Amino acid sequence: MKRNILTVIIGAVLILIFGLLLFVFQVRQSEVAVVTTFGKPVRDLTEPGAYFKWPWPVQKVYKFDQRTQNFEDKFSENLTSDSITLLTSVYVGWKISDAQSFFPKFAGGSMSAAQRMLESTLRSAKSAVISKHTLSELVNADPKALQFDGIESEIEQAVQVQLQTNNCGIELEFLGFKKIGLPESVTQAVFARMTSDRQRLINQFQYEGEAEAQKIKSAAERQASEVVNNAVADATRIRGEGEAEAAKVLPVFQQNPELANFLLRIDALQQSLNQRSTLIFDERTPPFDLFTGIPASSTSQGH
Amino acid sequence: MSDEHDHHEHEHSAPVAADDAGSQALAEALGSSFAIVKIVMGLMVVAFFCSGFFTVGPQEKAVILRFGKPLGEGSKALLTAGLHWSLPYPIDEVVRIPITEIQKISSDNGWYLTTPEAELSGEEMPAGLSLNPAVDGYAITADRNIIHTRATLYYHIDQPIDFVFNFASASNTVQNALDNALLFTAAKFNVDDILTRDVAGFREAVQERVSELVDQAQLGIVIDQCEVQSIPPRQLQGVFSMVTTARENRNKLLNDAHSYENQVLNQSGAQATSITNAAAAERGRYVQAITAEAKRFGDLLPQYQVNSDLFRQQTFVQAMTQAFTNVQDKIFLPQRADGKPRELRLMLNREPQQPKPAANP
């Protein structure tokens, strides 16, 4: 009877497998599933794993991709509040947040149908938001005036609100500008302005270079002469100090002005009669006054 | 199944044993073919379980999904390089994730229409008068200039489970973030900062914005490097390079002025030092001289007081003696006997070396 038991086991296993295939289904990570009973959504399964269901035709399972989907709209023209035509394209990351609402909205839960809906929502939200802002809020060197981020999140908000009122089970994860441009004819005007800006810069650099260099040079000269003048003043002060110091010694000469005077004259004489001078003198000049005291004959002899 | 059939066969064949050679032969043939089927099925079962082995390479990780759910939590779910085993398909599923390799994304949404081949060969389409927004990309700077800018981003996947299971196309999301970062950063920078003055600052700001965006989206990647290249529109290249030349000229002028400044200041400093030094030396000399004078005066005063006339005579004669030894030419001119003044003519030569003053007696 061994064979019979084996047969029964194998049969049971087969029936089990068949039953599992009928009654159990899997939800993968990254998927979300909706179970319908006679076509009516009854359960939402967002966690991955194996789940039980009644076999067809009682219950049916619809699976959707729960991952973040990328979508970008067409590069399209919008008018800013300061009447500048701007071409923009934005990208969004969206995903199915509520599969039970998502699934009946779009035929068979089609992703492309959802994207078409998203595109029109995005288009109207974008033009509404851009028309409220000026170009200088989109491009600006001043971080306080720049509202690039703000404009992006405004569009995101507007789309989000629209999606919620439509109750289509989609939510935005993020939104940002992908491309920004100007109409072709405007670029030519921008080029003309940029050229004149450059020309102005060239002139400015030329002028600035010469003027700055001149300024530096004259400042240096002024500073140099100041330094020298200060030094001259210092020198005068130093000499004055010397004279003051010398003045302290002067009372010594007061003891006998006559002698002081005499010594000064002697010194002057000595200094003036140094080499390379010619001295003409007569017999009254000492020590030649000796000649006068000697008889004339001797004088002629000595001559 | 085969066992069941086999069994039936035996039951049927028992009552009609050795009935007919033809049917026996058929039974034997069926029996042997069922044996072959059994062996094949056994092999298939073995193969079924062996198929659960798989290898993970060094550049990847793998995740086993059991009934669709990752086996293990967080980073524990990641299988590293080596041999692994999983249950067969309907139960387990192996998902491979490239991880260690550096991923690369380039953004040329802000670049004019070109191809890498044309760029390398230098055979790019000539620039028109304007930019067609449909084909030529560019960014608008904070001061409303148009520039071309493009970037290459290198990153690696840090959280593979997020990267693979949360995004339909994660690399596309990175691409979008990079495109956006270039536009966003250009909108905050002035054209000269992007092109010349603050190229590194622009690059850093782009990278910062990208990492902000990918963190916000929870992409689970880490940015390694970001390269940015920016150029003025080709239509305006000439005038832009003229600005560069003008700026360089200005810098040269300024440099020259600064070196002149240094030179002048150094010279004046040296001059000032020599002036004050000279004054100090003069002062020293003067004070010293007068002090010496005073000392001599003090020394001489007693002698003078003893006999002033004698002292005068002595000192004068001494001085004259010295003067006479020093003086080059000495002319003695005695008084005329009649006491009348003499007439004296001097012939002065310009060269003092040979002064020949003639005396007319």
Side-chain angles (χ1 to χ4, degrees):
Chain A
M1 275 301 150
K2 257 188 186 175
R3 289 197 138 191
N4 270 333
I5 294 168
L6 194 65
T7 311
V8 168
I9 291 173
I10 289 175
V13 165
L14 286 174
I15 286 169
L16 188 72
I17 290 174
F18 186 65
L20 284 176
L21 285 176
L22 271 181
F23 285 93
V24 175
F25 67 97
Q26 287 187 10
V27 178
R28 278 183 90 212
Q29 172 95 12
S30 84
E31 275 178 348
V32 58
V34 175
V35 181
T36 59
T37 309
F38 298 116
K40 184 174 173 248
V42 287
R43 265 201 305 167
D44 228 10
L45 299 165
T46 52
E47 283 298 304
Y51 294 95
F52 174 82
K53 72 166 171 85
W54 292 107
W56 184 85
V58 180
Q59 288 196 320
K60 232 179 138 181
V61 177
Y62 295 90
K63 293 180 186 170
F64 303 102
D65 194 342
Q66 207 190 9
R67 298 175 301 177
T68 303
Q69 308 285 327
N70 288 309
F71 172 69
E72 59 199 66
D73 73 345
K74 290 198 190 76
F75 201 37
S76 57
E77 285 192 10
N78 292 109
L79 218 55
T80 63
S81 69
D82 50 351
S83 305
I84 293 169
T85 309
L86 209 59
L87 286 129
T88 57
S89 159
V90 297
Y91 67 88
V92 295
W94 64 277
K95 68 176 194 183
I96 298 167
S97 59
D98 180 1
Q100 264 193 55
S101 330
F102 177 82
F103 149 71
K105 275 270 163 15
F106 306 102
S110 142
M111 296 300 244
S112 53
Q115 280 189 346
R116 275 196 296 279
M117 193 275 303
L118 197 62
E119 175 159 25
S120 67
T121 315
L122 202 54
R123 193 188 311 129
S124 59
K126 196 172 79 173
S127 75
V129 171
I130 288 176
S131 68
K132 282 193 286 183
H133 290 278
T134 59
L135 180 59
S136 59
E137 285 166 341
L138 197 64
V139 293
N140 207 315
D142 177 9
K144 282 188 208 113
L146 182 71
Q147 291 182 29
F148 197 97
D149 267 334
I151 293 169
E152 283 178 349
S153 60
E154 257 181 72
I155 301 174
E156 191 180 342
Q157 279 297 313
V159 175
Q160 200 83 275
V161 166
Q162 190 59 40
L163 291 177
Q164 259 161 26
T165 38
N166 286 357
N167 189 27
C168 45
I170 296 175
E171 69 177 21
L172 285 195
E173 291 284 284
F174 44 80
L175 178 148
F177 284 110
K178 188 165 173 71
K179 240 179 136 179
I180 297 179
L182 299 164
E184 186 161 2
S185 56
V186 176
T187 58
Q188 219 171 330
V190 171
F191 284 165
R193 184 175 48 74
M194 283 171 76
T195 308
S196 70
D197 274 358
R198 295 292 110 186
Q199 215 66 53
R200 189 179 48 73
L201 270 181
I202 292 168
N203 292 342
Q204 186 194 323
F205 281 140
Q206 261 167 5
Y207 165 77
E208 214 175 67
E210 281 158 21
E212 279 292 307
Q214 197 52 48
K215 226 187 269 177
I216 291 169
K217 280 184 189 168
S218 60
E221 276 160 9
R222 205 203 58 227
Q223 209 178 332
S225 71
E226 209 169 279
V227 167
V228 172
N229 288 347
N230 283 345
V232 169
D234 263 358
T236 313
R237 184 181 48 74
I238 290 168
R239 281 199 204 92
E241 277 169 9
E243 274 155 24
E245 225 171 296
K248 284 184 209 147
V249 182
L250 284 180
V252 174
F253 299 104
Q254 291 296 326
Q255 292 168 17
N256 195 329
E258 216 178 310
L259 174 61
N261 211 8
F262 174 69
L263 288 176
L264 269 180
R265 279 186 294 159
I266 289 283
D267 281 350
L269 183 74
Q270 267 176 332
Q271 257 164 42
S272 62
L273 288 181
N274 55 20
Q275 286 151 4
R276 284 231 239 127
S277 43
T278 305
L279 179 66
I280 302 171
F281 57 94
D282 62 9
E283 65 274 18
R284 280 172 298 183
T285 313
F288 299 96
D289 52 352
L290 286 174
F291 293 155
T292 49
I294 287 165
S297 54
S298 300
T299 311
S300 50
Q301 256 182 356
H303 205 53
Chain B
M1 286 268 241
S2 64
D3 284 315
E4 238 173 324
H5 276 278
D6 211 14
H7 197 66
H8 275 288
E9 209 57 51
H10 274 279
E11 271 182 280
H12 277 285
S13 55
V16 283
D19 184 352
D20 158 56
S23 64
Q24 197 175 357
L26 182 66
E28 269 172 28
L30 279 173
S32 60
S33 59
F34 275 125
I36 292 169
V37 168
K38 270 197 249 181
I39 292 166
V40 167
M41 288 196 74
L43 285 176
M44 279 172 77
V45 168
V46 171
F48 182 70
F49 284 99
C50 286
S51 72
F53 285 102
F54 63 96
T55 53
V56 177
Q59 301 278 299
E60 60 183 9
K61 301 243 163 153
V63 177
I64 295 177
L65 298 180
R66 178 155 298 163
F67 296 119
K69 189 176 182 172
L71 213 56
E73 280 295 311
S75 58
K76 276 187 200 148
L78 294 173
L79 302 174
T80 48
L83 187 65
H84 298 276
W85 185 81
S86 68
L87 285 171
Y89 167 67
I91 303 165
D92 281 359
E93 186 186 342
V94 177
V95 177
R96 291 166 190 277
I97 305 165
I99 179 160
T100 39
E101 62 192 87
I102 300 279
Q103 317 265 326
K104 180 180 152 190
I105 284 280
S106 294
S107 161
D108 55 2
N109 251 4
W111 207 255
Y112 55 87
L113 181 67
T114 183
T115 57
E117 295 79 34
E119 227 171 294
L120 277 179
S121 62
E123 287 166 359
E124 293 179 307
M125 298 250 293
L129 284 176
S130 54
L131 291 172
N132 177 3
V135 292
D136 293 313
Y138 48 85
I140 304 175
T141 65
D143 47 0
R144 299 194 191 183
N145 282 281
I146 285 172
I147 58 154
H148 296 297
T149 178
R150 62 179 170 187
T152 306
L153 188 75
Y154 298 90
Y155 65 93
H156 64 264
I157 300 163
D158 187 45
Q159 303 288 334
I161 294 182
D162 290 347
F163 190 80
V164 170
F165 292 116
N166 291 354
F167 293 89
S169 169
S171 62
N172 236 327
T173 310
V174 180
Q175 168 92 58
N176 283 340
L178 186 60
D179 288 342
N180 182 270
L182 281 177
L183 290 182
F184 174 78
T185 316
K188 316 199 271 191
F189 277 67
N190 285 334
V191 62
D192 290 306
D193 293 332
I194 298 174
L195 294 177
T196 48
R197 271 205 297 260
D198 195 11
V199 178
F202 180 70
R203 192 190 62 74
E204 270 161 36
V206 170
Q207 186 169 342
E208 199 180 306
R209 169 77 172 179
V210 175
S211 53
E212 211 174 276
L213 289 176
V214 299
D215 285 353
Q216 252 171 35
Q218 293 179 321
L219 267 165
I221 64 167
V222 171
I223 288 160
D224 295 314
Q225 203 193 336
C226 176
E227 287 163 6
V228 178
Q229 186 193 1
S230 312
I231 58 160
R234 293 180 297 164
Q235 290 82 350
L236 303 182
Q237 226 142 31
V239 75
F240 267 84
S241 65
M242 270 159 76
V243 172
T244 312
T245 317
R247 188 185 294 115
E248 271 157 20
N249 281 345
R250 180 196 64 168
N251 290 347
K252 193 182 167 296
L253 277 177
L254 291 188
N255 280 344
D256 289 352
H258 279 299
S259 64
Y260 174 79
E261 182 187 32
N262 275 340
Q263 192 191 336
V264 165
L265 289 184
N266 284 342
Q267 274 174 359
S268 69
Q271 199 187 341
T273 316
S274 76
I275 288 173
T276 46
N277 281 350
E282 202 177 313
R283 165 198 161 164
R285 252 201 326 276
Y286 181 64
V287 170
Q288 226 168 10
I290 208 137
T291 316
E293 198 78 7
K295 191 173 177 296
R296 191 177 78 159
F297 183 85
D299 289 347
L300 294 181
L301 187 61
Q303 291 181 43
Y304 182 77
Q305 275 163 345
V306 172
N307 188 341
S308 60
D309 273 348
L310 183 62
F311 178 81
R312 276 159 173 264
Q313 299 268 331
Q314 256 177 351
T315 317
F316 180 73
V317 170
Q318 233 168 38
M320 284 311 287
T321 313
Q322 204 179 355
F324 276 113
T325 42
N326 281 344
V327 163
Q328 208 170 24
D329 301 301
K330 300 171 260 281
I331 299 162
F332 178 60
L333 200 65
Q335 264 183 328
R336 277 159 61 134
D338 52 8
K340 279 187 188 162
R342 285 176 189 273
E343 194 185 33
L344 191 66
R345 283 189 190 159
L346 284 180
M347 282 190 46
L348 294 175
N349 197 315
R350 273 182 183 240
E351 289 149 45
Q353 253 68 28
Q354 306 107 356
K356 293 271 195 237
N360 277 359

